[in-house]
């Protein structure tokens, strides 16, 4: 994790320290409300591991606890999400969806910005790492769009990056999401919570000749050429249809 995400996360910790750990909460039948809470309050927030927090991060608001509890754990959820793919609740699209359930649209702009800056900072950093190492740039991009945040600067930076990792992230984006962006909601996976206009615009950006040019110009290791080749084939097919 680079300095920009760390600084953004530090601001979230400071802004959300007003939300105290719950002393009790409700949970759906089948969830051990007492046991889950005991696990999550057994150590300081900063020391919670992915295995301790991950299950709750997915259950929060739907089957365990309320918005106040989620906002207490949010800084650590975001911190673990920046570098861990092990749990559904750490997926940026899932986090964004839960923020909407926490009345995100009613928050003061400065409070929204503190959280949104984490999404943006991690997304910018994710462009420049191998896709298999951490959460990928498209996932954070999706989260930003769910929260109605501008993404033009992120897309411009991605397009202008000359690095092999940026190209491989782009190739993975083509392979995984080009079809989903244009699909009906039931087939759109985590993009289903992004508005249709934003999905169309993003699909147009991804399918544009500039993407093919960026992939063709990429200097990737021989072992990674297949990813570029597969993405180029997929783009040619999309441009033909």
């Amino acid at each position: 994790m680079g300095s920009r995400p760390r600084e953004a996360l530090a601001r979230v910790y400071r802004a959300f320290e007003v939300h105290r750990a719950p002393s009790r909460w409700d949970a759906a039948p089948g969830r051990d409300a007492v046991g889950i809470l005991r696990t999550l309050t057994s150590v300081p927030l900063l020391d919670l591991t992915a295995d301790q927090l991950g299950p709750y991060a997915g259950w929060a608001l739907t089957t365990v606890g309320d918005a106040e509890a989620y906002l207490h754990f949010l800084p650590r959820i975001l911190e673990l999400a920046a570098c861990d793919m092990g749990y559904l609740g750490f997926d940026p699209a899932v986090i964004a969806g839960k923020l909407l359930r926490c009345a995100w649209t009613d928050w003061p702009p400065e409070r929204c910005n503190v959280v949104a800056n984490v999404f943006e900072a991690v997304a910018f950093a994710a462009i420049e790492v191998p896709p298999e190492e951490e959460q990928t740039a498209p996932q954070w991009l999706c989260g930003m769009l769910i929260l109605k945040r501008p993404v033009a600067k992120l897309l411009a930076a991605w397009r202008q990056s000359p690095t092999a990792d940026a190209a491989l992230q782009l190739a993975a984006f083509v392979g995984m999401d080009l079809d989903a962006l244009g699909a009906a909601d039931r087939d759109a996976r985590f993009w289903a919570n992004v508005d249709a206009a934003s999905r169309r615009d993003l699909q147009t950006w991804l399918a544009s000749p500039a993407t093919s040019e960026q992939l063709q110009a990429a200097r990737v290791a021989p072992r990674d050429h297949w990813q570029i080749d597969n993405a180029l084939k997929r783009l040619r097919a999309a441009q033909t249809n």
Side-chain angles (χ1 to χ4, degrees), residues 111-159:
R111 187 172 173 85
C112 290
N113 289 340
V114 168
V115 176
N117 286 344
V118 174
F119 280 76
E120 181 176 305
V122 179
F124 269 89
I127 291 170
E128 302 294 350
V129 299
E132 67 275 8
E133 286 193 5
E134 298 182 7
Q135 290 212 6
T136 61
Q139 292 173 291
W140 289 95
L141 170 62
C142 180
M144 291 172 66
L145 289 172
I146 291 171
L147 296 175
K148 306 292 187 182
R149 307 301 294 188
V151 299
K153 290 183 179 179
L154 174 65
L155 295 179
W158 202 347
R159 182 69 80 210

Side-chain angles (χ1 to χ4, degrees), residues 35-221:
I36 297 167
L37 185 57
R38 184 186 303 117
T39 296
L40 296 182
T41 56
S42 62
V43 296
L45 181 63
L46 279 166
D47 294 332
L48 283 171
T49 67
D51 287 338
Q52 288 172 319
L53 190 57
Y56 162 75
W59 300 332
L61 301 171
T62 53
T63 60
V64 178
D66 58 12
E68 181 67 18
Y70 187 73
L71 295 179
H72 167 75
F73 293 107
L74 177 64
R76 186 59 174 163
I77 289 172
L78 287 169
E79 185 173 15
L80 292 171
C83 56
D84 192 293
M85 285 272 303
Y87 289 92
L88 179 64
F90 295 151
D91 189 299
V94 173
I95 297 171
K98 291 185 184 295
L99 288 171
L100 294 181
R101 295 176 68 100
C102 292
W104 168 271
T105 55
D106 296 330
W107 291 9
E110 59 273 15
R111 187 172 173 85
C112 290
N113 289 340
V114 168
V115 176
N117 286 344
V118 174
F119 280 76
E120 181 176 305
V122 179
F124 269 89
I127 291 170
E128 302 294 350
V129 299
E132 67 275 8
E133 286 193 5
E134 298 182 7
Q135 290 212 6
T136 61
Q139 292 173 291
W140 289 95
L141 170 62
C142 180
M144 291 172 66
L145 289 172
I146 291 171
L147 296 175
K148 306 292 187 182
R149 307 301 294 188
V151 299
K153 290 183 179 179
L154 174 65
L155 295 179
W158 202 347
R159 182 69 80 210
Q160 294 163 10
S161 176
T163 69
D165 286 332
L168 291 172
Q169 286 274 355
L170 193 59
F173 194 8
V174 171
M176 293 293 293
D177 298 313
L178 185 59
D179 289 339
L181 285 167
D185 286 353
R186 66 180 180 276
D187 299 316
R189 300 185 293 109
F190 51 83
W191 296 101
N193 292 321
V194 175
D195 67 272
S198 295
R199 279 160 56 182
R200 285 194 300 270
D201 289 346
L202 189 54
Q203 187 181 42
T204 298
W205 179 87
L206 190 58
S208 70
T211 297
S212 297
E213 293 168 6
Q214 184 173 354
L215 294 175
Q216 290 168 340
R219 296 184 176 181
V220 302

